[in-house]
Each structure stands twice: as C-alpha cells, then as structure tokens.
Amino acid sequence: MSTNGNEAPATWLSQDAYDRLQAELDELIANRPVIAAEINARREEGDLRENGGYHAAREEQGKAEGRILYLKELLRTAKVGEAPDADAVSPGMVVKIYFDDDADDSETFLLGSREIASTTDLTVYSPESALGKAILGGKAGQTCTYTAPSGADIKVTIVSFEPYSG
C-alpha cells in the first residue's frame, strides 16, 4: 500500500543538469525587463487589436513566465546527485524492456523528465507516459500492459533496470 497518494516520485538531477536549469532560470528572470520594455514599446504604437508585435511580445512573456514557474518548482523539489539503488523501477533509472514476448524486440531507455533528455543520448520516457506508468514499481521479469496513444494495447516485459549514472 502506498504511504500517501499525493507523493510524486522524486526528480533526480545531476549537478550539471541542476546548474544548467538554474542558469536558464536566472537568464529568464534577468530578461523580464527586456520583455516588459518590448511590450511597452509595442503598446505605444497604437491600436492593440491590429498590433502583431504587441501580441507576440505578450505571448513571449506568457511563455517565459510559465517556464519560470515550472523551473522554480522543479529546482525547489529536485534531488541533486545519483538516485539511490532501488528494488523496483523508479524515475532516474535506465530500463531495458522487450515487447510482446519477443526478447529480440527490446529497447533501453531512461525513465525521467524531459529536462534530463538534453543530458543523455538515451531515449527518455516520462514516468507520466503510458509506458512509464505501466512499469513504475515493476521488477525484473515482470510483464506489464499499457495502452498506446494509438489505442493499441502493448505488452512489455522488464528485463533489467539500474540507476542512471549520467
């Protein structure tokens, strides 16, 4: 039984990934006055209904603010270092699976957030994806089934898993 249904699995980031995301956040925050000045300059051009530059600047501001909020929360809750060894599949692990009882049709990937994707050559699947949800908590030799976005049911067997060493 789970301890608390509201607990999300920890997001583990290497020190390099954490530092890179912190630098991105710092840059976005430092760029706020530039975006605000652009909005003000476009606003002074006149009729806002037909002012594409104004609307583009507002959209850029919205995207930047959304990314700032996301990064602040991610960095606040992330654990830096290597994920501890675990006896079941969890985020931050390199997982090898095979499909539909065919051991020759296998795939090795990292179960983690999209932020970590830029730090590895491995394919990264989110723990929130259909595959990720199906294998979370699984053990080697366990077979799981999930529904792909196409609607097809896909059966996978967990071959092995180990903490990602980056």
Side-chain angles (χ1 to χ4, degrees):
M1 200 180 261
S2 68
T3 55
N4 177 351
N6 295 332
E7 284 183 28
T11 298
W12 286 89
L13 296 172
S14 67
Q15 186 65 54
D16 179 57
Y18 182 90
D19 292 345
R20 201 171 13 76
L21 293 172
Q22 183 64 55
E24 179 186 350
L25 175 62
D26 294 344
E27 184 178 325
L28 286 168
I29 290 172
N31 199 35
R32 278 176 164 164
V34 174
I35 295 173
E38 177 72 15
I39 290 170
N40 284 336
R42 298 297 181 179
R43 183 180 295 129
E44 291 173 6
E45 291 175 358
D47 188 357
L48 297 181
R49 289 173 298 178
E50 296 180 17
N51 188 330
Y54 171 79
H55 295 291
R58 293 284 299 173
E59 185 175 326
E60 180 183 346
Q61 180 186 41
K63 287 179 184 177
E65 290 302 318
R67 183 73 175 157
I68 286 169
L69 290 174
Y70 175 79
L71 288 174
K72 279 184 175 179
E73 182 63 13
L74 175 66
L75 294 172
R76 184 184 70 77
T77 60
K79 297 188 185 308
V80 178
E82 291 190 25
D85 289 340
D87 59 355
V89 174
S90 62
M93 296 205 156
V94 176
V95 182
K96 182 174 182 178
I97 60 170
Y98 64 82
F99 295 91
D100 297 321
D101 298 323
D102 181 359
D104 292 330
D105 185 10
S106 66
E107 182 173 5
T108 301
F109 58 89
L110 175 61
L111 189 64
S113 66
R114 66 185 175 136
E115 275 66 34
I116 204 166
S118 63
T119 67
T120 180
D121 290 334
L122 289 168
T123 299
V124 178
Y125 288 104
S126 166
E128 290 81 31
S129 68
L131 172 59
K133 286 179 183 176
I135 64 171
L136 262 179
K139 303 200 181 295
Q142 183 175 344
T143 299
C144 309
T145 302
Y146 69 95
T147 303
S150 66
D153 284 339
I154 299 175
K155 184 167 76 168
V156 298
T157 301
I158 301 168
V159 176
S160 62
F161 54 90
E162 62 185 34
Y164 174 63
S165 60

